[in-house]
Amino acid sequence: LDPEDRERLLRVARRGQLLAEVAVRLVRAGVDSDVGTPFGRQLAGARAEAAYRRHRVVYEAGRLAEALARVGAPLLLLKGAAYAIQSLPLAEGRLPRDLDVLVPLGSLKAVETALLGSGWEFSKDLTEYDQHYYRAWSHELPPLRLPGHAFELDLHHSILPPIGRLKPDAARLLADSVPVADS
């Protein structure tokens, strides 16, 4: 790419929050992005940020497991957290902002209670209506956050809203989940 195309690529990829993904794909394709150039430094920085966030996801998943150790409910990491904890190539270049976790509907209250008892909090901006909406119509609780930590927790009891046409069996997802060593 000429310098103008490189600049355009950086702008568009950054705006779409895909710069780290582009950087990873360029490395996989064997494109040498010399870190001695501004373009190479931008790509290296994006890869470093993605690696840091991947590390944080694994760390936050560990804190979550500690908070819920006494509950004994199965926990299934979803999406980016699942990719990161397994060190899958798909995790490279992702910029996760939250942890998505699936628990059995029957364990939801116990898990919520354990999290709240461990310092996790719902946003103070949530209204009573918001709480009711999530609990009556959604497939997850309102997002939780542990003060001082970077990631939100999306605690799911299903992967789609219960009022939708499609109703995947969350129990089958939990039953077919694969344990990850040391996690």
Side-chain angles (χ1 to χ4, degrees), residues 60-143:
E60 295 293 346
R63 303 301 63 77
L64 179 63
E66 287 173 6
L68 299 176
R70 293 187 191 146
V71 176
L75 300 171
L76 176 62
L77 293 175
L78 301 171
K79 304 189 291 186
Y83 306 148
I85 203 85
Q86 296 177 81
S87 299
L88 295 177
L90 188 58
E92 293 180 55
R94 292 180 64 96
L95 298 174
R97 295 183 187 333
D98 62 7
L99 289 174
D100 289 280
V101 177
L102 178 70
V103 300
L105 181 58
S107 301
L108 190 61
K109 185 62 179 165
V111 169
E112 177 185 0
T113 300
L115 289 171
L116 294 174
S118 296
W120 291 78
E121 301 173 344
F122 292 112
S123 170
K124 297 187 183 4
D125 297 336
L126 286 175
T127 66
E128 190 174 311
Y129 173 83
D130 295 331
Q131 283 281 356
H132 172 74
Y133 173 84
Y134 272 99
R135 292 169 192 284
W137 305 110
S138 186
H139 56 296
E140 62 187 345
L141 292 182

Side-chain angles (χ1 to χ4, degrees), residues 1-10 22 26 31 39:
L1 299 174
D2 65 37
E4 186 176 304
D5 288 336
R6 287 180 179 193
E7 179 61 32
R8 186 177 306 113
L9 173 63
L10 290 174
V22 168
L26 288 173
V31 175
F39 183 72

